[in-house]
């Protein structure tokens, strides 16, 4: 029997006992569906986390601040529109108790072995933001412009010009609009206090509107690098003082190999250093753990389905004993008999995997669309399910491999049958 004939016969044989085959396929479908949904959720959520990492810096960088500020690192932005500005409380927002770094700290960090370059990050604290209609609103902190690549924009672009700034979408109401495009290009006035408490002002143009990410990025206005520097100069005017930095980013070539040594040297000198993985690793670890647990349940379902395949084919071998004897008497080799029953197992596995993966993808895509545009629409850039063709292909191959392995026992039994004994079987 030629291979095409063997495949055709295997397909025909799987439909002999439709109910038994259908129940076995359903068991495989359940496992394939669970694996597909679980893998898609893991891929989607991890993709969202990878997007978030843009707000924490490049992979070869360390984020360094004074060790005292450990509990203050990565504070999220405020929620909702700002209150109107009250001049009576001017200056109150400057009291953060945040331990800054100075030129000596920068020099000490640059002297650490393994650190190639250091980029200081200045902190600017605003007092108020005045909209075009003349109303002033309290303004606390700004998002650092170094994190612009991680912004989730609903309109416009990241700030790049000398006086460009983005605002959170929650602030649209102070501009008397719900349309983010309506505020693009509008000029606002930013007020702050210098070192001796004198009010300083400058104007800025709105270049974009952002959604607040789970990391907090986008929950505050973000000036361009040039505007941030200009605001810092205004803030430090009035008195000759040394520059103070909220933190620094340090480039470490071969960070993976040098990370522990560099971190240890920084800790010895009183600094806290964090990589991108440090800042998001806990979240990603929890998600991966949940994903692995769900994959484990799916594999248990597939294990149960594999016993169904074994049972289905053992019963088929028993029912077709005389047929097997006839095929061998007509010259069909034991290897061909083994291949015939193995193909039947593969066909059952292939059918179950196609249906299960298809249903999983449809359910995942539909669920992602419903949740991200409905109940979870406030989470900017959220992806709950992502179709990865390579992963879907691996799931299909895994299921077919399990089906083939499950079919080897019945196939071996069929291949070993003696044709004379089989033909006498009643």
């Amino acid at each position: 029997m030629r291979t095409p004939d063997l495949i055709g016969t295997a397909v025909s044989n799987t439909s002999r006992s439709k109910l038994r085959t259908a129940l076995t396929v359903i068991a495989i479908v359940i496992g394939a569906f669970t694996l597909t949904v679980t893998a898609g959720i893991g891929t989607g959520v991890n993709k969202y986390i990878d997007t978030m990492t843009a707000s924490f810096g490049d992979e070869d960088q360390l984020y360094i601040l004074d060790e005292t500020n450990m509990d203050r690192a990565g504070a999220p932005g405020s929620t909702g529109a700002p209150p109107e500005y009250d001049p009576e409380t001017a200056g109150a927002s400057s009291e953060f108790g945040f331990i800054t770094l100075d030129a000596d700290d920068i020099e000490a960090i640059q002297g650490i072995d393994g650190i190639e370059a250091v980029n200081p990050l200045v902190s600017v604290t605003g007092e108020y933001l005045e909209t075009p209609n003349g109303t002033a609103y309290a303004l606390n902190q700004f998002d650092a412009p170094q994190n612009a690549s991680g912004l989730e924009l609903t309109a416009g672009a990241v700030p790049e010009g000398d006086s460009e700034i983005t605002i959170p979408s929650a602030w649209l109401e102070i501009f008397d609009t719900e349309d983010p495009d309506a505020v693009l290009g509008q000029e606002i006035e930013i007020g702050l206090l210098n070192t001796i408490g004198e009010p300083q002002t400058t104007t800025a143009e709105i270049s974009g509107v952002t959604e607040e990410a789970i990391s907090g990025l986008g929950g505050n206005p973000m000036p361009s690098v040039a505007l941030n520097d200009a605001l810092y100069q205004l803030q430090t005017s009035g008195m000759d003082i040394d520059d103070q930095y909220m933190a620094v980013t340090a480039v470490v070539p071969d960070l993976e190999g040098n990370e522990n040594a560099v971190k240890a040297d920084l800790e010895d000198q009183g600094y806290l250093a964090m990589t991108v993985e440090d800042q998001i690793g806990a979240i990603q670890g929890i998600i991966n753990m949940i994903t692995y647990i769900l994959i484990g349940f799916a594999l248990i379902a597939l294990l149960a389905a594999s016993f169904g395949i074994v049972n289905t084919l053992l019963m088929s071998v028993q029912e077709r004993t005389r047929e097997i004897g006839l095929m061998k008497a007509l010259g069909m080799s034991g290897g061909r008999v083994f291949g015939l029953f193995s193909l039947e197992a593969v066909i059952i596995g292939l059918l179950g995997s196609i249906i299960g993966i298809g249903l999983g993808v449809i359910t995942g895509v539909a669920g992602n669309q419903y949740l991200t545009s409905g109940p979870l629409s406030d989470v900017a850039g959220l992806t709950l399910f992502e179709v990865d063709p390579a992963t879907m292909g691996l799931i299909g191959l895994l299921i077919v491999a399990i089906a083939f392995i499950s079919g080897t026992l019945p196939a071996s039994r069929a291949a070993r049958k003696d044709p004379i004994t089989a033909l006498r079987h009643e």
Side-chain angles (χ1 to χ4, degrees):
M1 185 179 291
R2 295 175 302 173
T3 300
D5 296 329
L6 203 65
I7 296 173
T9 303
V11 172
S12 175
N13 288 339
T14 55
S15 61
R16 283 189 176 186
S17 180
K18 294 182 175 61
L19 179 60
R20 190 165 62 208
T21 301
L23 291 175
T24 306
V25 169
I26 289 173
I28 297 172
V29 166
I30 293 172
F33 174 86
T34 307
L35 266 181
T36 301
V37 172
T38 301
I41 291 174
T43 302
V45 175
N46 278 307
K47 178 183 177 181
Y48 173 60
I49 292 175
D50 289 339
T51 302
M52 285 172 50
T53 62
S55 68
F56 294 104
D58 297 331
E59 292 184 357
D60 65 343
Q61 288 185 346
L62 285 176
Y63 183 80
I64 304 171
L65 64 163
D66 190 283
E67 199 171 40
T68 311
N69 297 315
M70 180 183 295
D71 295 332
R72 300 180 182 272
S78 56
T79 302
E84 289 195 23
Y85 177 63
D86 182 2
E88 297 296 327
T89 62
S93 62
S94 300
E95 302 299 326
F96 286 115
F98 195 90
I99 307 301
T100 56
L101 305 175
D102 56 23
D104 291 337
D105 293 309
I106 303 302
E107 184 177 353
I109 293 171
Q110 285 177 326
I112 300 292
D113 289 338
I115 293 181
E116 183 177 85
V118 175
N119 178 35
L121 307 178
V122 297
S123 176
V124 178
T125 304
E127 280 296 320
Y128 69 84
L129 175 152
E130 185 176 307
T131 60
N133 65 14
T135 305
Y137 296 87
L139 176 61
N140 191 339
Q141 65 187 97
F142 296 93
D143 282 335
Q146 289 81 4
N147 299 330
S149 60
L151 286 176
E152 288 287 345
L153 292 161
T154 58
V158 298
E160 294 180 345
D162 291 341
S163 60
E164 290 186 345
I165 194 170
T166 61
I167 63 167
S169 60
W171 290 28
L172 289 174
E173 63 182 81
I174 70 176
F175 291 86
D176 300 321
T177 183
E178 295 181 356
D179 180 11
D181 291 307
V183 301
L184 298 180
Q186 290 194 28
E187 285 197 349
I188 58 175
E189 182 177 282
I190 297 174
L192 45 79
L193 300 177
N194 66 7
T195 54
I196 58 176
E198 293 177 339
Q200 306 290 318
T201 62
T202 189
T203 59
E205 180 181 322
I206 299 175
S207 69
V209 179
T210 61
E211 290 288 348
E212 183 175 1
I214 194 171
S215 63
L217 184 68
N220 293 302
M222 176 185 286
S224 64
V225 173
L227 178 58
N228 192 67
D229 290 341
L231 291 170
Y232 180 72
Q233 294 303 318
L234 290 175
Q235 181 176 270
T236 56
S237 65
M239 185 182 297
D240 187 15
I241 61 172
D242 295 332
D243 287 335
Q244 301 291 314
Y245 310 106
M246 59 182 292
V248 302
T249 58
V251 177
V252 181
D254 188 20
L255 180 58
E256 185 176 353
N258 297 327
E259 179 182 343
N260 293 334
V262 173
K263 281 184 175 180
D265 290 342
L266 287 167
E267 186 177 353
D268 290 342
Q269 298 196 35
Y271 303 109
L272 171 68
M274 296 178 290
T275 63
V276 172
E277 287 75 14
D278 291 335
Q279 297 176 72
I280 66 166
I283 299 174
Q284 205 160 27
I286 292 172
I287 292 170
N288 287 336
M289 181 182 67
I290 294 173
T291 301
Y292 295 148
I293 291 173
L294 293 176
I295 287 175
F297 285 126
L299 291 175
I300 291 173
L302 287 176
L303 180 62
S306 70
F307 286 109
I309 293 174
V310 173
N311 181 65
T312 297
L313 292 182
L314 282 176
M315 293 180 68
S316 180
V317 169
Q318 182 67 22
E319 292 170 354
R320 292 156 56 191
T321 299
R322 287 175 60 86
E323 179 185 331
I324 294 169
L326 181 60
M327 287 189 294
K328 298 191 77 173
L330 292 174
M332 191 171 183
S333 66
R336 285 291 183 177
V337 173
F338 178 88
L340 176 63
F341 283 89
S342 295
L343 275 173
E344 292 180 25
V346 168
I347 289 168
I348 292 173
L350 187 61
L351 185 61
S353 65
I354 291 173
I355 296 173
I357 293 173
L359 289 175
V361 168
I362 293 171
T363 302
V365 171
N368 180 72
Q369 178 65 25
Y370 169 73
L371 292 172
T372 55
S373 62
L376 300 178
S377 58
D378 292 337
V379 184
L382 178 63
T383 303
L384 289 176
F385 185 89
E386 181 78 12
V387 178
D388 180 7
T391 301
M392 300 300 110
L394 286 174
I395 290 173
L397 288 175
L398 173 65
I399 294 171
V400 170
I402 290 174
F404 173 77
I405 294 171
S406 301
T408 55
L409 174 62
S412 296
R413 179 170 293 186
R416 290 196 306 267
K417 283 189 177 295
D418 178 71
I420 303 301
T421 304
L423 287 170
R424 291 174 177 171
H425 180 78
E426 296 294 336

